[in-house]
Every structure is written in C-alpha cells, then in structure tokens.
C-alpha cells in the first residue's frame, strides 16, 4: 500500500514530493518573493539592480533631468523629449543670432519680426526750452525732477490705488511738499503708500509706530509723520527722546569701573524716580541734560579714584579725593 500524497500548506494543492511542504507554484512564488526587496525610490517590493541599487523601473532615468523613464527604449522623459523636439525645430535668427522659430515673411525670429515703437523725437522743454525727450507734462527729466507738483501727482496716484484712502492723505502731501524738496517729498509719500497697502492697521498711531527705524534714529519718514500727526492731534508723540536719553545715560554708566558701577546705577535710578515725581506733581523736573551731566561727573570721578587714587569703593573716598579731583 503506497503513502498518501500530502497537500500544499498554502493552497492545499497536491505537492508530489514527500520532502516538500508547498506545491510548485507556491514554491516558485516564495522564491521570487525572497529575491525581492523594497526599492528605495518607489518603495515597492522589486528585484533590485546591482549597478543602481533600485528596481528596473526606477533604474531607467532621464539623461537630462534624472526623472524616471518608463519605456525601456527611451533615454529621455516625456518633458525632456518634448523640449528636445521644440529645440530641434528652432533655427538661429540671422538678426540676433539666438535660436527661435523663423517667420516666413521676414526670415527672423518672432522677437525681431515684431515692429518696434520708435522713440518720440526730442521736443523743446516747457521750462528750459532745450530740445529733450520729455519725462512728463511736456518737461525734460531735469525739469520734471524739480517740478513742485510731483508730490501732489504722487498723492493722487496713491489715492487711486487705495480702496479706502484716509481723510488726512491730502493734508499730509501738502505738509511734506511745503517742508521738503520735491524728491524727498515724493519719497515720503511713497513710503506712506507702502504702509497703507500692507495688512496691518492704518490708524495714525499704528502707522507712526511701524514707520520708526530700529536704532538711535527713528528716521526722517517717522519724524515727518510724528510732526504731522501730533500737530493735528491724530496721534501721541513717540518716546524717541526718552529712549535716546536712556541710551546716553546707559553709556555713561557702562563707562564707570565695575566695582563702582552699582552705586552709580542706583543713583541714576533714584534721579529718574525724582524726575517722574516732579513731572506728575506739576513742578519743574530736572531735564535729561542735567541727569546726563551728573552721571558724566560721577563717571570721571570714578575713573579718577581707580586710576590715580587706587580706590575701588565709594566708602574709601574722602574730602581730599574730591578736592584733588575738582582741582584737576
């Protein structure tokens, strides 16, 4: 009596061999799957090529751009093939020498075949009378740059560009036109247009804050806006003077030697508090110049004590040190 033929453990088909667990189809499928690895380009399980380390589909790439090429007989991708076909149809233009599609009626490329608009001949300027090409209003370039109506023309253009122009726009144009030269006034109106066309608030106080430059100077544009808004009561003045005064006091304090610096800093803080109290009380507070002068004297005294007296503590200073310092 013969042994019963066993079934495949995967598909339950007859195996035909005693020492095997899978049929021929399942065995071949398992061997093919074992030879496959995830392709690093497409991520699919494929047999990787030894020279490229990718599957055969991803190994075929365009010679120009490096994109995958599906067909085995192609060396370029579809985009590069169409580009090469377009370049093959182009010919060098006899006029400009650049490659292009030559027109039958002219024999030139499209750029050279299009008619050019001739420049207007020179005409006498309305102001100086010299024959020049006009920049605007029948004026030459030099006279147009000095024309006093340029800021107002720029303001009208800005009003047309804005969806909701502010009511004080014309007054600001007249303000800068009366105080600055023509080119500077046009530059200020252009700077205002950049602020009015951004996504932030267009209130006078917000415009004034955004126009300030970082650093010691707030810039001429911010100063012009501050003069205009504060004169008409549209915004509060900035704290630029207080910031500059604080930076000047800080430079004087930093110049004091390190052992004597904390006391000078505490003295400056107390003087600032006294200035604030006097301002709130309505009396005459000390000016920033007075505070800075006092700090400058303390700075010089501290340098004198450390360099000439060899003292690094205010408690060691006496009346003779003060008299010698005043004498110098």
């Amino acid at each position: 009596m013969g042994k019963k033929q066993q079934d495949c453990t995967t598909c339950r088909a007859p195996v035909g061999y005693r020492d095997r667990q899978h049929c021929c189809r399942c065995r071949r499928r398992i061997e093919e799957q074992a030879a496959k690895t995830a392709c690093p380009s497409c991520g699919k399980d494929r047999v990787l090529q030894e020279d490229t380390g990718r599957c055969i589909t991803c190994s075929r790439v365009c010679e120009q751009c490096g994109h995958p090429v599906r067909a085995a007989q192609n060396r370029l991708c579809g985009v590069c093939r169409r580009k090469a076909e377009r370049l093959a149809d182009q010919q060098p233009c006899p006029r400009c020498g650049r490659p292009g599609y030559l027109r039958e009626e002219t024999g030139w490329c499209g750029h050279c075949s299009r008619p050019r608009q001739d420049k207007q001949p020179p005409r006498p300027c309305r102001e100086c009378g010299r024959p020049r090409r006009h920049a605007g209003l029948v004026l030459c370039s030099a006279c147009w740059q000095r024309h006093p109506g340029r800021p107002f023309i720029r303001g009208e253009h800005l009003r047309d560009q804005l969806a909701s122009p502010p009511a004080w726009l014309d007054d600001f144009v007249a303000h800068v036109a009366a105080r600055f030269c023509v080119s500077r006034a046009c530059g200020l109106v252009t700077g205002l247009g950049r602020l009015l066309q951004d996504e932030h608030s267009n209130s006078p106080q917000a415009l004034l804050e955004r126009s300030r430059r970082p650093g010691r100077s707030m810039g001429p544009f911010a100063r012009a806006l501050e003069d205009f808004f504060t004169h008409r009561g549209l915004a509060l003045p900035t704290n630029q003077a207080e910031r500059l005064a604080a930076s000047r006091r800080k430079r004087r304090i930093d110049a004091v030697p390190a052992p004597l610096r904390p006391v000078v800093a505490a003295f400056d803080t107390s003087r600032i508090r006294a200035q604030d109290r006097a301002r709130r009380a309505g009396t005459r507070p000390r000016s920033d110049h007075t505070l800075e002068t006092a700090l400058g004297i303390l700075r010089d005294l501290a340098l004198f004590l450390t360099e000439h007296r060899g003292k690094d503590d205010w408690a060691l200073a006496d009346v003779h040190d003060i008299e010698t310092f005043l004498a110098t």
Side-chain angles (χ1 to χ4, degrees):
M1 183 174 180
K3 183 177 172 66
K4 181 181 178 182
Q5 186 181 29
Q6 60 183 358
D7 297 335
C8 176
T9 57
T10 303
C11 63
R12 312 306 300 175
V15 175
Y17 296 91
R18 293 182 180 180
D19 55 344
R20 295 184 181 180
Q21 301 295 328
H22 303 279
C23 64
C24 296
R25 288 186 176 180
C26 295
R27 182 181 179 87
R28 184 168 61 253
R29 185 171 61 251
I30 292 174
E31 293 177 354
E32 292 176 354
Q33 187 65 28
K36 295 180 180 179
T37 311
C39 178
S41 297
C42 61
K44 299 179 181 180
D45 291 338
R46 295 289 188 269
V47 178
L48 304 184
Q49 304 295 315
E50 296 181 359
D51 52 347
T52 60
R54 294 177 294 182
C55 65
I56 188 172
T57 304
C58 297
S59 298
R60 294 192 297 265
V61 295
C62 179
E63 296 179 355
Q64 294 185 1
C65 63
H67 289 175
V69 177
R70 299 306 177 186
Q73 68 274 10
N74 294 334
R75 297 187 305 171
L76 301 177
C77 63
V79 177
C80 293
R81 280 202 314 273
R82 289 189 293 271
K83 187 184 299 183
E85 292 174 358
R86 290 196 301 267
L87 292 177
D89 296 338
Q90 295 180 0
Q91 299 177 6
C93 177
R95 185 178 183 183
C96 63
R98 293 178 295 184
Y101 301 103
L102 303 185
R103 302 295 191 267
E104 296 181 358
E105 58 274 9
T106 60
W108 297 337
C109 64
H111 178 75
C112 298
S113 300
R114 286 191 292 270
R116 297 291 182 268
Q117 182 179 3
D118 297 335
K119 293 184 178 180
Q120 296 181 356
R123 293 176 294 172
C125 177
R126 190 180 65 182
E127 293 290 338
C128 62
R130 293 179 296 179
R132 293 288 189 271
R133 288 189 173 90
H134 295 171
L137 298 180
V138 200
L139 299 173
C140 64
S141 178
C143 295
W144 169 251
Q145 297 295 330
R146 298 191 300 266
H147 186 59
R150 281 184 59 207
F152 300 95
I153 296 175
R154 184 67 188 93
E156 293 177 1
H157 292 171
L158 179 59
R159 176 175 292 277
D160 296 339
Q161 294 173 2
L162 297 175
S164 57
W168 45 262
L169 180 59
D170 296 337
D171 296 338
F172 176 78
V173 175
H175 174 81
V176 297
R179 289 165 175 80
F180 298 94
C181 65
V182 176
S183 60
R184 176 59 65 87
C186 292
L188 295 178
V189 176
T190 303
L192 177 63
R194 286 195 294 267
L195 292 181
L196 292 176
Q197 292 174 355
D198 58 10
E199 67 277 4
H200 300 286
S201 174
N202 290 337
S203 63
Q205 194 68 40
L207 292 174
L208 184 58
E209 293 297 331
R210 296 204 310 274
S211 64
R212 296 170 58 178
R213 290 180 181 176
R216 297 180 59 182
S217 175
M218 63 189 301
F221 177 50
R223 287 195 297 270
L225 280 180
E226 183 180 16
D227 294 342
F228 174 73
F229 288 148
T230 55
H231 179 69
R232 282 168 171 73
L234 299 176
L236 297 175
T238 60
N239 59 344
Q240 184 69 15
E242 290 78 3
R243 291 175 56 188
L244 296 179
S247 62
R248 291 193 295 267
R249 293 196 305 271
K250 185 177 183 302
R251 288 196 299 272
R252 287 163 172 77
I253 294 174
D254 293 341
V256 178
L260 306 178
R261 190 178 305 163
V263 177
V264 178
F267 172 74
D268 177 63
T269 303
S270 64
R271 301 268 287 191
I272 292 298
R273 286 200 299 264
Q275 185 188 42
D276 294 338
R277 286 196 302 268
R279 187 179 292 112
R280 290 194 300 268
T283 58
R284 298 181 61 182
R286 295 185 179 91
S287 64
D288 295 330
H289 178 70
T290 302
L291 303 182
E292 294 163 12
T293 303
L295 289 178
I297 295 173
L298 283 180
R299 174 200 58 197
D300 297 340
L301 177 60
L303 293 175
F304 176 79
L305 292 177
T306 56
E307 295 177 359
H308 299 281
R309 293 293 182 171
K311 299 180 180 180
D312 56 355
D313 193 351
W314 289 106
L316 302 179
D318 53 12
V319 65
H320 303 290
D321 299 329
I322 303 298
E323 291 177 352
T324 306
F325 169 72
L326 294 178
T328 57

